[in-house]
Amino acid sequence: MNTDELESALVQAERRVLKIQTKLHRWARDDPHRRFDDLFNVVADRAFLLVAWNRVSGNKGAATAGVDGRTASSVAQVQGVEEFLDGLRSGLKDRSFRPVPVRERMIPKSGGKLRRLGIPTIADRVVQASLKLVLEPIFEADLLPCSYGFRPKRRAHDAVAEVRTSRPDLAVTSGLLRETSRHVSTRSTTRP
């Protein structure tokens, strides 16, 4: 598949993914007790895998190899994106796909300490991204509009702006809420 064909396929895949995500979100919103039985086939859908590949390969971590030594560019050059995704899809469909343990690296934190960073393989990242594309619209339906943590198109800055608008009696500084006009107990966190 050449670059133009891949771009055209990606545009079509993104449309299909958005259409299915919209349905999943609507079904979850309309029936909070709905049971989603066949999501595995959606995760293995060609469109979802292609959109997931695009997100993973476009990420700055795409140049970092997992334990298998493969990066996104090496997969594209050596195996080819289409063949890679077809193999991944067949492994998902026949249930032979197994995630591989992450490659661990220690990275510095502020204050001189170190923390562990797990680096999954490219295949594992693509499957995780596809799974996220499927599950996110379902779980989004359960979240309140005032929820900001780890949600698409919502940032900590948006939460701060919301607090400043809805609670002018509070000042937001350095990520902490401090009352400026009177003492508020930790139990009275709801609006009057």
Side-chain angles (χ1 to χ4, degrees):
M1 185 180 293
N2 67 34
T3 306
D4 290 338
E5 289 173 342
L6 186 60
E7 287 179 18
S8 175
L10 181 59
V11 169
Q12 291 175 349
E14 286 172 338
R15 285 184 188 139
R16 176 173 167 74
V17 166
L18 183 58
K19 183 178 176 183
I20 292 171
Q21 284 180 317
T22 302
K23 284 182 186 179
L24 291 170
H25 184 271
R26 185 175 55 246
W27 294 339
R29 183 196 63 217
D30 293 349
D31 182 2
H33 302 291
R34 183 184 181 109
R35 184 181 169 111
F36 291 87
D37 293 322
D38 196 26
L39 296 180
F40 197 78
N41 284 327
V42 182
V43 172
D45 184 86
R46 280 182 168 80
F48 277 78
L49 290 174
L50 182 56
V51 171
W53 165 264
N54 187 57
R55 291 185 179 185
V56 168
S57 65
N59 185 304
K60 70 179 180 178
T64 307
V67 292
D68 61 355
R70 299 167 72 185
T71 64
S73 63
S74 72
V75 166
Q77 291 170 2
V78 174
Q79 186 177 11
V81 175
E82 189 173 17
E83 186 179 329
F84 171 75
L85 293 178
D86 284 346
L88 201 52
R89 183 174 193 272
S90 65
L92 288 167
K93 295 291 268 181
D94 68 17
R95 310 282 173 132
S96 65
F97 173 82
R98 295 287 178 268
V100 178
V102 298
R103 183 177 76 142
E104 289 189 13
R105 287 287 177 256
M106 299 301 286
I107 60 171
K109 287 175 59 174
S110 60
K113 292 186 178 185
L114 296 173
R115 75 171 179 92
R116 288 190 196 283
L117 175 67
I119 305 165
T121 63
I122 290 294
D124 291 351
R125 287 183 238 177
V126 171
V127 172
Q128 290 171 7
S130 183
L131 190 58
K132 181 179 183 275
L133 288 168
V134 173
L135 293 178
E136 194 169 61
I138 295 169
F139 286 100
E140 273 289 317
D142 291 338
L143 298 176
L144 298 173
C146 60
S147 300
Y148 286 88
F150 302 101
R151 294 181 71 188
K153 298 184 178 138
R154 289 179 179 250
R155 308 167 303 151
H157 292 84
D158 299 326
V160 169
E162 175 76 21
V163 170
R164 284 187 175 144
T165 303
S166 64
R167 292 291 305 264
D169 58 319
L170 297 178
V172 182
T173 314
S174 303
L176 300 173
L177 294 178
R178 288 190 279 177
E179 181 177 86
T180 57
S181 60
R182 61 184 163 78
H183 176 71
V184 177
S185 81
T186 56
R187 292 187 183 176
S188 67
T189 56
T190 58
R191 287 172 59 178

